[in-house]
Amino acid sequence: MSHDSRVAALDSLLEDAGLDAVLATKDASIAYLTGFWGLQMERFFGVTVRKGGEGALIAPSLDRDAVAAAPTGLEKALYDAAKGNGLSTLYETFGSAKRIGVEEDHFIWARAKELTSAGYELVPASDLIMELRAAKDAEEIAAVKHACAQIIAVYEEVWADLKVGDSEADVNAKAAYSLARRGGAHPGPHILFGAHAGDPHGSPGSRTLQEGDVIVADIAAQFDGYWGDMTRVAHAGTPSDWAAKAWDIVKEAYDDAVAATMVGNTARDVDHAQRVIVEAHPEIGACLHGAGHAIGTEIHEPPFLVATSETPLREGMIFTVEPGIYNSEKGGIRLEDDILVAADGPVNLSPSALELRVIE
Amino acid sequence: MSHDSRVAALDSLLEDAGLDAVLATKDASIAYLTGFWGLQMERFFGVTVRKGGEGALIAPSLDRDAVAAAPTGLEKALYDAAKGNGLSTLYETFGSAKRIGVEEDHFIWARAKELTSAGYELVPASDLIMELRAAKDAEEIAAVKHACAQIIAVYEEVWADLKVGDSEADVNAKAAYSLARRGGAHPGPHILFGAHAGDPHGSPGSRTLQEGDVIVADIAAQFDGYWGDMTRVAHAGTPSDWAAKAWDIVKEAYDDAVAATMVGNTARDVDHAQRVIVEAHPEIGACLHGAGHAIGTEIHEPPFLVATSETPLREGMIFTVEPGIYNSEKGGIRLEDDILVAADGPVNLSPSALELRVIE
């Protein structure tokens, strides 16, 4: 689907949503609608789509070359970020529109206040934009699968190289280098050892791999605009009883959650499928997060597979399914694949061996 | 200054600001006040400081290990992000406080609306928090200097390796690897060749270095919580007349802007010092951005050295000073160092050769 077709599809939703225009501000939404990837930092970037399908890409003149190259039929409205905050340029792109949908989970309060003071009525519209972004077309599905294939190749290198005595910092630096050489943007390996792997968001550091450590290797990167995100686990030497038991629990939770990733279920159903299994084993560890998140042009995007979400799963959605169990003393086990909700059931876009690999 | 001393210093500002409490939500502000670095994604994290100096670090239970290790005397309030959005936990940390300062340039509109609906009055407080964060103490200055020293070492490797035929993707991947191996988090090399260097935010790609290309190498990474950010330039073969002229312009703009980075001047004065020189040469290229930005626990933090900022420079502030000139056909030249506003004048925290290096 071309970028301009997506703009037209978004326009077709505005009437029912009662909006005069919608303003997309997330990097990933801007890229989805225009093909332009910016580097926002403190500067304002956005895409305005007015009812009728006209609109604009608004960006600092700093990004003029990339804006000029963006494959979009929308107007391109540049402003000088050293001389203003871009909002007067934004207002020009609104035309007579007054009731504006914004991505409420991204738009900052300072800008919301300015728009309100300028007479615009803001309406939450993240769901509206995600209604389009959530269901991936064949080209997008292929892009996620391609990203996963690159990550799978990096795992082979990680497992082949890893040995007792290696530091987390070195192992992660090498994996990031391999991802980047393959064209991966924002390479985010997150490979943790032993008790440190009991912290699902621990930062790789100077810890070295010891005999008896579990290894949780979460590897993600963005290729050609689309993310892959996987987790595999290993053990330095013969797995301990704890690790073997934790593996069995998480593998069962993974199988059930993947099976539940289908049309007819809601996000909470997938979470429930893993949670009921992981939470039954508090003596092994804790269930610290939901079943996963949608993935595409963002590494984490809505819908989220959490206990509070009644969002129905639709064909074309792609989710990480990533149950885990965590023990602050012994470490963690997590398994993660990227699962497509297809007409006939779940399809694994990151197929590769699922095993508790032993590092000798 | 300990994290708890910073909390006390923030508390001492609340009375005059007419606030019952302040809520910090930027990763860097949370780390500044508590030593905790989170991974926010879609989940809520914050630090509440109530008048009187009590308060809490609020984070998902996912991050329980890192929260437990955080060197803060504040309460630690965890919530299960798979079962709720954390705001009810946040409200408990407010106690009877109703008038709450928030970081308006980070806090998302969805959460602002929820807090307002729950009866809290929100007040912009980014300036209040930055009043503390902006002036760095000796330990912080040493941390930025250390980060720059690592980056300077990476430049030596980049220049020693670089040769005609290398691809941007490879050169950037290697530089990122070197930064990561040295302990750099979020390694962000941004090394561009030829016309591509005319885009200050271009993404490194498959372009290979050609004889006659200018090379703009912007290298940044965070070490032990503090960023360094530098730019150096080179030329493949004898510099063209355009490159030599652009270099002279930018070097003059750099010298004048660095000299202006002193107590008694405002942010706009520093911007003006470079702008008046760069803008005088439209035949060479365009002035596409301000003179720079403050740097510390964030790579870009306020104050920004732009034409619209009347913020006075204070002792202990650290800024990137980074004038540049850009030409979409010929490329760009940018020079960037990290400059401390010291009592006796500007101090360069990233001292290393400033030259238009020739790659043979």
Side-chain angles (χ1 to χ4, degrees), chain B residues 1-8 30-36 71-73:
Chain B
M1 202 184 203
S2 75
H3 299 289
D4 287 347
S5 307
R6 293 169 179 166
V7 169
I30 293 171
Y32 180 84
L33 293 168
T34 67
F36 169 80
T72 174

Side-chain angles (χ1 to χ4, degrees), chain A residues 45-59:
Chain A
F45 290 73
V47 171
T48 294
V49 176
R50 296 191 299 272
K51 209 156 56 179
E54 301 291 302
L57 165 61
I58 307 105

